Amino acid sequence: MKTRCSHVLLWVKDIHQAVQDFRQLGFTVDYATKEKNAQHAHIWFSEGAIIELLTSPSNARYFKWLIDVFAGRGAGRRMIRWSQEGEGFCDVALVSDDFDNDLSVMNREGVQTGRVIPWRRTKPNGQKISFRFVYPRSERLPFLVSPYNPPQYPQKTDHKNGANGLSKVYMEVSEQDWQSVRRLTDQDSIFNIKPGPTTKVTGIEVSGLKENLDPTLLHGSKINPAN
């Protein structure tokens, strides 16, 4: 497999408050869709992995069966878990330039997945973005996405706090997920994994940060300057 980290997902209760807070922290934050009804926002860098802020309906648990029908077994548990665990890092996505081949490799090696979902978004400026994604049935394994079409990386980024790249993703991985997570992430040195009781992202490092960030504005996440 030739996957690499696409983005870490940070679940927040109020997407608009979170965008305001991360902007106060010195990040440039872009809504993924029109601001009024947005559920996703991005912190872009000129290359590499990014940070995605997202929210979801508080009543998502009532639609678990519908989510499973749409995205395959395990998708409902995954999306419900995001909100049930509260604010903080909730997931991590891997991007593949050879999506279909890497998905086949995952399945051959025992990582069962749900349905491949083609997705479209319309940015605030009206541009149409398309991509595909698929969730493993095991709800805590990283999921697979295709590159955005058209590409979305800006030529340069201007974060007032000096941030210029996501340099490290720290994960704890349970014994039952260890082999799969190692196989999925071993092509990207950004990942630092260690054994733990539950598979999850525990924190990230961002290169270029001029100072430590105010934890009261981080919505449960741990973001540190790169060493």
Side-chain angles (χ1 to χ4, degrees), residues 16-154:
H16 303 298
Q17 183 63 55
V19 168
Q20 179 179 320
D21 289 341
F22 274 83
R23 286 174 175 170
Q24 185 175 335
L25 288 168
F27 289 104
T28 297
V29 188
D30 298 325
Y31 281 103
T33 57
K34 288 185 178 180
E35 179 176 343
K36 181 179 179 180
N37 297 315
Q39 292 187 307
H40 302 259
H42 296 118
I43 298 174
W44 286 95
F45 303 107
S46 57
E47 61 180 6
I50 67 170
I51 302 168
E52 179 173 308
L53 309 177
L54 77 155
T55 192
S56 55
S58 59
N59 61 351
R61 65 187 183 278
Y62 298 117
F63 302 99
K64 176 183 176 297
W65 66 272
L66 190 59
I67 298 170
D68 282 346
V69 168
F70 173 70
R73 186 153 36 115
R77 291 195 308 272
R78 180 183 294 260
M79 295 181 70
I80 291 167
R81 171 178 60 79
W82 292 346
S83 59
Q84 284 182 335
E85 292 185 348
E87 292 195 311
F89 292 121
C90 65
D91 220 326
V92 61
L94 305 174
V95 63
S96 169
D97 294 323
D98 194 354
F99 183 91
D100 292 320
N101 180 68
D102 280 336
L103 177 57
S104 296
V105 172
M106 287 172 63
N107 289 325
R108 284 201 307 270
E109 296 190 356
V111 179
Q112 294 181 307
T113 60
R115 295 178 179 83
V116 175
I117 306 300
W119 199 256
R120 291 176 65 87
R121 286 180 182 155
T122 302
K123 295 179 63 177
N125 64 4
Q127 185 184 40
K128 306 288 187 181
I129 309 299
S130 63
F131 59 98
R132 293 185 292 162
F133 68 90
V134 63
Y135 294 135
R137 291 185 182 178
S138 179
E139 65 181 281
R140 290 188 176 272
L141 294 182
F143 65 96
L144 190 67
V145 299
S146 68
Y148 287 127
N149 181 30
Q152 294 298 294
Y153 284 106

Side-chain angles (χ1 to χ4, degrees), residues 133-202:
F133 68 90
V134 63
Y135 294 135
R137 291 185 182 178
S138 179
E139 65 181 281
R140 290 188 176 272
L141 294 182
F143 65 96
L144 190 67
V145 299
S146 68
Y148 287 127
N149 181 30
Q152 294 298 294
Y153 284 106
Q155 290 188 342
K156 71 180 283 192
T157 55
D158 182 21
H159 299 290
K160 293 179 181 179
N161 57 20
N164 57 37
L166 203 165
S167 61
K168 195 65 68 176
V169 177
Y170 291 93
M171 294 184 67
E172 290 184 355
V173 180
S174 69
E175 183 178 359
Q176 68 180 21
D177 291 338
W178 184 264
Q179 185 175 353
S180 294
V181 172
R182 284 295 300 268
R183 183 69 183 93
L184 291 169
T185 64
D186 66 1
Q187 295 297 314
D188 192 346
S189 61
I190 197 173
F191 288 103
N192 183 302
I193 68 173
K194 67 177 184 179
T198 304
T199 300
K200 60 182 179 179
V201 174
T202 58

